Amino acid sequence: MPLLVLGMLSLVLGVGAGLARLGTDVPAPAAALAGWHAALMICAFFGTVIGLERAVALGRAIAYLGPLLSGIGGVALLAGLPLPWAQSLFVLASCVLVGGAIAVVRRQSALFTRTLAVGAGCWLAGNLAWAASGSIQTAIPWWLAFLVVTIAGERLELTRFLPARREAAPLFRIAIATTLGGAVAAWFSSYGLVLFAAGLLALSLWLLRYDIARHNARQRGLVRYIALCLLSGYAWLAAGALIGLAGGFAPGHPLRDAALHAIALGFVFAMVFGHAPIIFPAIARVRIPYHPVFYLPLVLLHLSLVVRIAGGIGGGEAGALLRIGGMANAFALLLFVLTMVGSVLRGRGAGRG
């Protein structure tokens, strides 16, 4: 729980920093962190949560060092400590995650375990690129790859429950290789970001075609909710990739906000919404019973993102839509947290009853 608290602190201030970047009035501590929005969200929040999930799965005490380091790295940013301190902590945290992933591969060498190791390596590469260049922009493709490849690896594991398709694994490898090749090429040419977008598009199409969510969407209750979260997230991944093919990943491009947040909000947080009722009970040892109210934050997330992207694409006077959409994004995340907390309390009440 203390590690989750560190992650949630970075999430709250990271969201506030993101709103400050849109010109929204936020408390001074969040406004001062506007330049570290991506680092807070990806390294301090997702690095902590994903590292904690892996530590629980590994069951080794040393694995908890990773989320502890990333959580402290977030605190270092919040406290205004010299930037190399936070960068060093994130590098060390990603090294722990890579080490844990390698241990899993040695225990079970499979395409999905190797994919998870590649995802962890992307986080390390992004952290090293940021520390070496001093520019957070160099890390963005690698950080996005960290999240997308990690999620793809976790979803790939579940395809074992479906009939085997001969073409699925080669197509998956091609999509991952294209994504990584684009991230590498982005160091040398802006065309690398286009290749990166092509890899993400291929991966989104693979997930839409081969993921078990297509079958689970016909079920009921929590299974259906999770499936719809996933499928809607894959659609946003495809949308972000298409915007990226139009140049949206390039720094300073008018479509950059739309491209990045279609993936980081529409895809990644749809995955969070869908997996939270399963992952958080495993991490925090609490019950999160399903309720149809779970759909409210999901619907608000998607609608608010449509408004945000419309504002970003429109430019000029449409900038007000961008800010409105951003504030609604933040409210969707808050509503999700409140919904999960309410479900935990309801589960405890039912347990005592």
Side-chain angles (χ1 to χ4, degrees):
M1 289 303 295
L3 295 177
L4 277 178
V5 170
L6 284 178
M8 292 303 296
L9 177 63
S10 295
L11 173 64
V12 170
L13 288 175
V15 169
L19 292 176
R21 292 175 65 87
L22 296 177
T24 305
D25 289 334
V26 296
L33 296 166
W36 310 127
H37 167 63
L40 286 169
M41 296 298 294
I42 297 177
C43 295
F45 173 62
F46 281 112
T48 299
V49 172
I50 292 174
L52 186 55
E53 177 194 359
R54 299 292 174 77
V56 171
L58 280 170
R60 297 181 181 178
I62 193 172
Y64 288 91
L65 180 62
L68 176 61
L69 289 169
S70 58
I72 295 176
V75 172
L77 288 178
L78 303 179
L81 297 179
L83 182 58
W85 292 27
Q87 292 172 325
S88 299
L89 288 165
F90 292 142
V91 168
L92 292 173
S94 53
C95 285
V96 174
L97 188 64
V98 169
I102 292 174
V104 171
V105 171
R106 288 178 175 175
R107 183 185 305 171
Q108 179 185 4
S109 181
L111 181 57
F112 78 89
T113 59
R114 294 192 295 271
T115 301
L116 292 175
V118 169
C122 289
W123 186 28
L124 175 58
N127 292 340
L128 289 173
W130 180 28
S133 68
S135 171
I136 206 168
Q137 302 301 330
T138 62
I140 296 298
W142 290 106
W143 286 351
L144 286 179
F146 160 52
L147 298 177
V148 174
V149 172
T150 296
I151 292 168
E154 292 175 345
R155 299 309 305 169
L156 177 66
E157 179 183 7
L158 297 179
T159 60
R160 295 179 299 167
F161 298 103
L162 296 174
R165 295 179 181 272
R166 182 177 301 177
E167 76 281 5
L171 291 175
F172 184 86
R173 290 188 179 97
I174 291 172
I176 295 293
T178 304
T179 301
L180 297 180
V184 172
W187 282 345
F188 311 103
S189 170
S190 59
Y191 291 107
L193 293 175
V194 177
L195 182 63
F196 178 73
L200 295 181
L201 179 60
L203 198 53
S204 70
L205 296 176
W206 190 95
L207 290 166
L208 285 167
R209 176 67 180 87
Y210 295 105
D211 190 79
I212 196 173
R214 292 177 59 245
H215 302 269
N216 289 345
R218 295 189 288 266
Q219 304 299 318
R220 295 182 178 180
L222 179 62
V223 174
R224 179 180 175 85
Y225 165 75
I226 294 174
L228 293 179
C229 285
L230 299 176
L231 292 173
S232 62
Y234 301 156
W236 277 117
L237 178 59
L242 288 171
I243 298 172
L245 286 174
F249 287 133
H253 196 283
L255 298 177
R256 183 172 170 83
D257 184 87
L260 294 182
H261 290 90
I263 296 173
L265 276 172
F267 171 65
V268 175
F269 271 97
M271 301 299 107
V272 172
F273 285 16
H275 287 102
I278 298 174
I279 293 177
F280 285 161
I283 293 177
R285 304 292 190 267
V286 295
R287 291 180 63 240
I288 301 183
Y290 168 75
H291 192 278
V293 75
F294 284 10
Y295 282 100
L296 288 180
L298 179 66
V299 172
L300 179 58
L301 175 71
H302 294 325
L303 292 178
S304 63
L305 190 52
V306 169
V307 173
R308 177 177 186 147
I309 290 178
I313 293 175
E317 296 180 358
L321 281 180
L322 183 64
R323 288 189 292 274
I324 292 171
M327 293 177 65
N329 293 155
F331 184 72
L333 300 184
L334 174 61
L335 183 59
F336 167 72
V337 172
L338 294 176
T339 300
M340 291 296 104
V341 171
S343 183
V344 169
L345 295 177
R346 185 163 53 87
R348 288 180 176 176
R352 287 194 293 268

